[in-house]
Structure formats: structure tokens, C-alpha cells
């Protein structure tokens, strides 16, 4: 939630801040602002709305200077408005702060600061930060921030500039990401790596409980007590172009098309030459002995990652014969989950920063479970706190609606299933070999599915004419139906209800009216006939039904209005192919409706608040 950008050096700061913020808008975009220190004065411009509104304003009223901080906001405390936008400043206007996260004890701090005579102008939790800095400031910004850190509770990453010390930025991190970019005579601060990639690839990834003093000539990192910390440089391997649109109209469609490549990346180096084993690098230390102690698997995640986890449940129960529970992270930790030393907890998170997922991970560790993380972001909080880590290698995912991250989460879960099955002896070598060979063919098959793009674009027109739609399927198809309906809802704002096909007659069938679009997923061979019966139930009510089925299932054409065929693969692997037409449907539905595809209303890419 919210993106932070900071720069200090010899260049004009405004274009650098705006460029960085444009790469961070996926984190929130209901307002934006910058603060620049120039000739001993802090100047702030901020505006409700997307970054381009701020950019327009700055064209008329540019802020010149070489030091500054910027912010793009996703509102938590206080509605989106000019006054609630960041940067926030103190009473004197000398100090400016941008913040990502939530200061949980802000009400108490606000009342206390008000009783000390401080004037507040916004409804935000953030505003306590500049006033606290002001309160403690005695000529040393670093020391003042250190004192502030003893007062605030919650999750935060923030950056401070101060006109009395115009040659530095002071930043701190606790439970929200912050990256420092190392340049030559210039340095950068950002919530995420893409924001600084146009300038440098050398970074320090700040850990929780660390703060830094950033000047043009260097960066010093400290713990919150002021002890200096020795940081290792993390060199980013992918380049800025990987995070740009590359000729596509939107990041989402670019990322959908990147999926074959992304699956390949996930699999590369992880399947043995003889194809019968899965190999993970040193980030996974699940020995045979550790695996043999597991008597339950708990998969925990949010949103799309949770839907990947549902696929994981079906696949792992089938291949490992161990009970697997998949939970929504925000529910998991508050129900006193039954997990212990014998539980393997798998957390799935693209960003690795989702607050609920992180909290669930911590709860599991507290209860003695071993935690395996599947994440896309190297150095993310989840990756650092888990015992074992599998990176999905999807590359930067910028569109708020997750596509390639989901597909690579699935690919990773298949690898984990085979890896554990080999250690548990629940899948013999030949079965593993067939499965892994099939898995390796999925990138090419995904490319074939993408060739149906134009047809799906036409189909999207059927959906956008309605305000409601239905996605049905059984078993793994149901898990993918949930993901398909989420995609459609979140970017096209069409209400989409995902239903287990066999459950329709227990209530939802009442909503089926003539012409209403229904997407029926029919890839699961063992229950094919059962799903077809359910399709007939909706057809009997005159719904407009599109089926997604494997090639060769010609007979389904007699039952539905149209069919999207997928190249054949084993039923367990079907979700990787089935989801692609659903992603395209959501994308073209949103385009058809003229919605802001990459930045759907009310959402943000990375949800670092509970
Ligand atoms: C939907 C979407 C979200 C995320 C969820 C978890 O398209 O992207 O539902 O899947 O917010 O995010 P991560 O995976 O970063 O933990």
C-alpha cells in the first residue's frame, strides 16, 4: 500500500521522483505528492487523484531542487483528498514525511501531540510522524527519527527530509518494504526496485528494524538503537525494460503474454536431467527426514495467491495422501489454527509483503510449524522470514490484477508436490517422470491457448452487456473458476459468481435467467459427465454458456453455445491452461468497458495493511 520515492544528488529531483512514482502507482493511486528541499526551504505539492494530475499541476508550478521525497497513496486512514495526501509536514513546515503502512497507536500519539500544542491538518495516521520528528528535533535529524521510532507502533516505511539538514534523507522500515538505490554521487529510496532501475541496479534492501541516513555521497544503515549495520549490496539482474509495457496497451495484457516464458523460468534448473526428480536450490532445506515428519500441510495466502493455494490443495492431497488445508490468511490467524511442529505451512505471496500473509507466517512459526514460502520478490519480508523459499521468477508484475504471478505459483506448487512425493515415496519414478515431462510442455501449450485471443475478445462483448455472470466447475475447475471470477470482478467491475457446479441447485440456480453469461470449465475427466449435467441445468434456464474443454471433446458443442478448446494435458495440470482464457476475458471485458485495466478502483498491488 502506497509507494515511496526519494532522491538526493546533483540532478533535478522532480522528474526523478515522478518517474519513480509512476513505477510505484500499482501500490496505490488515489493521490500523489512530492516535497523538495530547495535553498533551505521545504516545498510541497500534492493532489488527490492519479499521478498524472500531480504532473499536470507541476507543469505549471515546478519544484526545483536536488533533494526530495515523493508518494503515491492508497488510502487507509482518511479519505483520498488533497489534505490527506502525502507528504505531510510539521507545524513549522520545515519537516516533510512520506509513509507507507499504518501507525497503529496514532490516535494516542495525536492526542498527546495536540496537548503539546501541535496542529494537525489531515485525518491520517501518518501526520503524527512529522510532528513527532519536530517534537524531538534538536539539530540532529537522525537522532530525532531514532526517538520517534521508540514511540510508534505498527507497520511502516517512511522517509523524512528537513530544511535544517538539506543534505540528507532519513528513512526507516518496520514491516513495510524499503529499498535504497546506490548511485554515483546520488542515492535513491523506493518502496520497490522498478522505481530506481532507470538509475541503478545496486541496492540495499532494508530489513525490519533498520533505518538509514542517505546523502548524495553515501548511505549509512543503523538499527533502531543507532548501531551501525553492515549491509550487503543486492545487485538487481533484470533491467528496467522488463518492467515497461513493451508495446502493449496495458501491463496486464503484456503480463498475460509473458506467461509461457514465466512458466519456463519457474521450471528452469528445477527438473533433473532424467526428468524424475525436482531439484531446489539452497533456499529449500526440506530434507527427507523433515518431510517424513509432516502430517499436515496448511497453505495460506490472499486473493489470487489463495486461489493458487486451492489448486495446491487438490494436487497435493492427490499426490501426497496428506491432509491439506488452504486458508485465507486474514482468517487463518484469528481462528487459532490447529498447527504444530508436524505441519508444513506453505505461504504464497507474489509481493512477499502482504500483511495478512506475513502475520499468518509468523503465527505458524510461533506454533512450531516449518514454513515454505512461494514468492516472486527476492528479499521480500516473506522470503526472509520463511524457513524455505521458492522464487517464482515471474519477473516484475506491475498490473494490479495478478496473472503471471498466479501461473508461476501454480507451476511452483506442482514442483513442490513432486518434490515432497519423491521424499515420501507416494509417486513412483515413472509417474513423476510423466508428470514432469507434461509440466515442461505447458509453456508451449500456453502459447497455443494465447492464440485464441481474438475469439475471447469477441466473447468479452457478451459479458460486458450484463452486470452479472457465473463461473462454474468442479474440483480443480472450481478453483480456477474462483480465480476467473475474481479477475473479471476486479478489473471490469462485472459481478461474477464462481460456483462449484454441483452446488448450483442448492440456491444459486435461482439467479440464472435467459441470456445470462455462464463460463463452464470442463477439464476434469473423472467428473466430466457430472459437470455436463450441471451445464444442462443452466442451459435449461436459457443461460448463454461458454465451455472450456480439452480438444477432442466435440460432444460438448451440442450442450453449450460455444467452446474454447485447450490443448490436452493431464487433468492435474489443467489449471495452468484453463486460467488463460479467463484472464483474457477479464482483460478485454475491462477494455470494452473503458476501465483503467492496470489500476482498478479501490485496489492496490501490494496490501501491506491488515
Ligand atoms: C488479484 C490480486 C490479489 C493478490 C493478493 C495477494 O488479482 O492480485 O488478490 O493476489 O492481494 O497478494 P500477494 O500475492 O502479493 O500476497
Amino acid at each position: 500500500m502506497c509507494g515511496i520515492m526519494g532522491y538526493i544528488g546533483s540532478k533535478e529531483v522532480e522528474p526523478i521522483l515522478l518517474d519513480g512514482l509512476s513505477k510505484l502507482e500499482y501500490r496505490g493511486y488515489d493521490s500523489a505528492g512530492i516535497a523538495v528541499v530547495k535553498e533551505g526551504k521545504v516545498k510541497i505539492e500534492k493532489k488527490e487523484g492519479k499521478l498524472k494530475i500531480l504532473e499536470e499541476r507541476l507543469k505549471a508550478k515546478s519544484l526545483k531542487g536536488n533533494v526530495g521525497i515523493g508518494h503515491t497513496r492508497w488510502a487507509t486512514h482518511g479519505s483520498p483528498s488533497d489534505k490527506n495526501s502525502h507528504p505531510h509536514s510539521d507545524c513549522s513546515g520545515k519537516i516533510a514525511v512520506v509513509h507507507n503502512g499504518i501507525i497503529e497507536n496514532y490516535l494516542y500519539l495525536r492526542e498527546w501531540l495536540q496537548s503539546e500544542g501541535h496542529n494537525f491538518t489531515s485525518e491520517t495516521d501518518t501526520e503524527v510522524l512529522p510532528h513527532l520528528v519536530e517534537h524531538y528535533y534538536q539539530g540532529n535529524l537522525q537522532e530525532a527519527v531514532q526517538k520517534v521510532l521508540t514511540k510508534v507502533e505498527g507497520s511502516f516505511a517512511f522517509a523524512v527530509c528537513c530544511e535544517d539538514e538539506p543534505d540528507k534523507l532519513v528513512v526507516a522500515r518496520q514491516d513495510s518494504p524499503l529499498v535504497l538505490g546506490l548511485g554515483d554521487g546520488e542515492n535513491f529510496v523506493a518502496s520497490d526496485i522498478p522505481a530506481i532501475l532507470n538509475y541503478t541496479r545496486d541496492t540495499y534492501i532494508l530489513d525490519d528494524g533498520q533505518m538509514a541516513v542517505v546523502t548524495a555521497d553515501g548511505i549509512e544503515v543503523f538499527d533502531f538503537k543507532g548501531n551501525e549495520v553492515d549491509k550487503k549490496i543486492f545487485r538487481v539482474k533484470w533491467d528496467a525494460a522488463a518492467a515497461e509495457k513493451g508495446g502493449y496497451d496495458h501491463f496486464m495484457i503484456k503480463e498475460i503474454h509473458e506467461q509461457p516464458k514465466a512458466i519456463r523460468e519457474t521450471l528452469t534448473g528445477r527438473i533433473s536431467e532424467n526428468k524424475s526428480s525436482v531439484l531446489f536450490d539452497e533456499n529449500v532445506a526440506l530434507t527427507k527426514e523433515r518431510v517424513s515428519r509432516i502430517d499436515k500441510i496448511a497453505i495460506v495466502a490472499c486473493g489470487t495467491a489463495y486461489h493458487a493455494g486451492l489448486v495446491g490443495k487438490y494436487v497435493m492431497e492427490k499426490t501426497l495422501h496428506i491432509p491439506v488445508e488452504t486458508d485465507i490468511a486474514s482468517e487463518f490467524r484469528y481462528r487459532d489454527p490447529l498447527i504444530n511442529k508436524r505441519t508444513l505451512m506453505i505461504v504464497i505471496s507474489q509481493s512477499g509483503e502482504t500483511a495478512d500473509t506475513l502475520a499468518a507466517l509468523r503465527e505458524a512459526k510461533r506454533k512450531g510449524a516449518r514454513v515454505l514460502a512461494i514468492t516472486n520478490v527476492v528479499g521480500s519480508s516473506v522470503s526472509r522470514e520463511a524457513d524455505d523459499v521458492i522464487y517464482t521468477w515471474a519477473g516484475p508484475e506491475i498490473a494490479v490484477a495478478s496473472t503471471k504471478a498466479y501461473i508461476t505459483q501454480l507451476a511452483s506448487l506442482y514442483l513442490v508436490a513432486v518434490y515432497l512425493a519423491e521424499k515420501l515415496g507416494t509417486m513412483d519414478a515413472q509417474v513423476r517422470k510423466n508428470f514432469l515431462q507434461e509440466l515442461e510442455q505447458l509453456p508451449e501449450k500456453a502459447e497455443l491457448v494465447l492464440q485464441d485471443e481474438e475469439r475471447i475478445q469477441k466473447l468479452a462483448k457478451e459479458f460486458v452487456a450484463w452486470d452479472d455472470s457465473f463461473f462454474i466447475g468442479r474440483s480443480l475447475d472450481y478453483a480456477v473458476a474462483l480465480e476467473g471470477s475474481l479477475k473479471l470482478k476486479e478489473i471490469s467491475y462485472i459481478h461474477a459468481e464462481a460456483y462449484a457446479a454441483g452446488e448450483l441447485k442448492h440456491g444459486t440456480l435461482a439467479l440464472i435467467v435467459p441470456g445470462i453469461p455462464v463460463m463452464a470449465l470442463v477439464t476434469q475427466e473423472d467428473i466430466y459427465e457430472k459437470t455436463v449435467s450441471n451445464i444442462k441445468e443452466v442451459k435449461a434456464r436459457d443461460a448463454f454458456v461458454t465451455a472450456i474443454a480439452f480438444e477432442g471433446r466435440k460432444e460438448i458443442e451440442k450442450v453449450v453455445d460455444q467452446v474454447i478448446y485447450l490443448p490436452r494435458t493431464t487433468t492435474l495440470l489443467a489449471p495452468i491452461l484453463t486460467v488463460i482464457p479467463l484472464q483474457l476475458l477479464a482483460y478485454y471485458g475491462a477494455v470494452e468497458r473503458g476501465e483503467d485495466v492496470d489500476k482498478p478502483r479501490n485496489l492496490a498491488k501490494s496490501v501491506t495493511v491488515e
Side-chain angles (χ1 to χ4, degrees), residues 10-52:
S10 55
K11 298 193 185 115
E12 269 307 324
V13 68
E14 185 189 297
I16 295 175
L17 292 180
L18 292 176
D19 174 52
L21 291 176
S22 72
K23 311 285 187 316
L24 295 173
E25 254 196 311
Y26 71 87
R27 302 178 65 84
Y29 36 81
D30 55 44
S31 58
I34 62 172
V36 172
V37 191
K38 171 74 176 166
E39 287 159 4
K41 289 268 164 270
V42 167
K43 300 238 163 68
I44 295 179
E45 274 305 325
K46 52 189 192 174
K47 234 19 226 152
E48 181 188 344
K50 293 193 174 135
L51 186 62
K52 59 177 186 278

Side-chain angles (χ1 to χ4, degrees), residues 1 252 300-307 348-358 374-377 382 397 399-403 405-406 409 483 486-487 490-491 600 603-607:
M1 251 49 332
M252 183 179 176
V300 179
C302 299
T304 286
Y306 163 71
H307 294 154
I348 310 172
S349 175
Q350 187 284 129
S351 61
E353 301 293 346
T354 301
D356 287 317
T357 308
L358 199 51
I374 296 178
T375 183
N376 194 33
V377 179
V382 158
E397 189 180 65
V400 165
S402 183
T403 53
Y406 170 79
Q409 286 160 358
E483 173 57 9
L486 173 62
K487 283 292 90 89
E490 71 175 322
I491 59 168
L603 299 179
K605 181 80 183 153
S606 185
V607 186

Side-chain angles (χ1 to χ4, degrees), residues 275-276 429-439 570 573:
K275 310 284 178 217
S276 64
Q430 192 54 47
V431 179
R432 291 200 309 270
K433 193 168 182 166
N434 295 345
F435 189 81
L436 290 174
Q437 277 175 340
E438 202 51 49
L439 186 58
T570 53
L573 294 173

Side-chain angles (χ1 to χ4, degrees), residues 303-362:
T304 286
Y306 163 71
H307 294 154
L310 288 175
V311 172
K313 172 184 164 67
Y314 282 99
V315 173
M316 289 191 197
E317 283 190 339
K318 277 228 157 72
T319 51
L320 306 178
H321 316 305
I322 289 181
V324 183
E325 284 174 9
T326 299
D327 247 301
I328 293 171
S330 54
E331 292 292 317
F332 176 83
R333 61 190 282 228
Y334 294 113
R335 67 172 172 79
D336 199 10
L338 296 175
I339 52 172
N340 56 38
K341 286 204 288 283
R342 305 198 61 177
T343 311
L344 173 67
M345 163 107 158
I346 302 179
V347 293
I348 310 172
S349 175
Q350 187 284 129
S351 61
E353 301 293 346
T354 301
D356 287 317
T357 308
L358 199 51
L361 179 162
R362 289 176 182 156

Side-chain angles (χ1 to χ4, degrees), residues 472-494:
I472 60 170
R474 284 170 175 257
S475 143
L476 281 169
D477 282 335
Y478 171 49
V480 181
L482 284 163
E483 173 57 9
S485 78
L486 173 62
K487 283 292 90 89
L488 191 66
K489 278 182 277 207
E490 71 175 322
I491 59 168
S492 73
Y493 317 144
I494 297 169

